[in-house]
Amino acid sequence: MPENRGAGSADAGAVPISAAADALGVSARSLRYREGLGLLPVTKEQPTGRGHRHRRFSPEDLRTIAAGLELERGFDVAPAALAFALRVLAEPETLAAVRSYGERLGRLAPPPARAMDFEKQKALRLLRARGGP
């Protein structure tokens, strides 16, 4: 992976996508696919001119992408699966839906009932049995 060459310019050590792909051992197309899934760091550069400036990858970007690739390999998951896992972690509604599905499948135990919830339900049952609310 390219090394940061110092504090010269903001682009010091930054490389285009083809060099980034070579350094990471993947294709540029693979990097573009992962970018579409949200698996690449957000670029800090603003397009110049008509917006035709090509993205450049800093050494930190390359380390971050390499960590993602290692997760994919280590857990034998596709990029889309890693992207969905990040979505589950970032979005409470998605997490709740996935948790509910896991519980229905029997792969996840339901969260333990709190003692006060149990006591409340018990009291409501007793009241109903006695003709209360």
Side-chain angles (χ1 to χ4, degrees), residues 15-18 20-21 24 26-47 51 53-58 61-62 64-66 68-69 72 78-80 82-84 86:
V15 296
I17 194 166
S18 57
L24 294 165
V26 296
S27 68
R29 182 176 181 188
S30 170
L31 287 181
R32 287 185 191 97
Y33 172 65
R34 284 172 172 80
E35 185 169 34
L37 291 172
L39 294 177
L40 298 191
V42 177
T43 184
K44 294 167 188 73
E45 297 176 349
Q46 295 299 318
R53 182 172 183 173
H54 294 284
R55 174 166 182 174
R56 298 183 59 80
F57 296 85
S58 71
D61 291 340
L62 296 179
T64 300
I65 297 165
L69 293 169
E72 291 171 19
L82 180 57
F84 184 68
L86 289 171

Side-chain angles (χ1 to χ4, degrees), residues 54-110:
H54 294 284
R55 174 166 182 174
R56 298 183 59 80
F57 296 85
S58 71
E60 182 59 29
D61 291 340
L62 296 179
R63 287 188 289 276
T64 300
I65 297 165
L69 293 169
E70 186 57 36
L71 280 172
E72 291 171 19
R73 285 187 211 103
F75 290 99
D76 192 27
V77 296
L82 180 57
F84 184 68
L86 289 171
R87 181 177 172 196
V88 167
L89 292 171
E91 299 175 5
E93 311 82 36
T94 306
L95 175 61
V98 171
R99 170 163 275 296
S100 175
Y101 181 63
E103 290 169 5
R104 291 178 70 174
L105 286 174
R107 293 192 58 189
L108 297 175

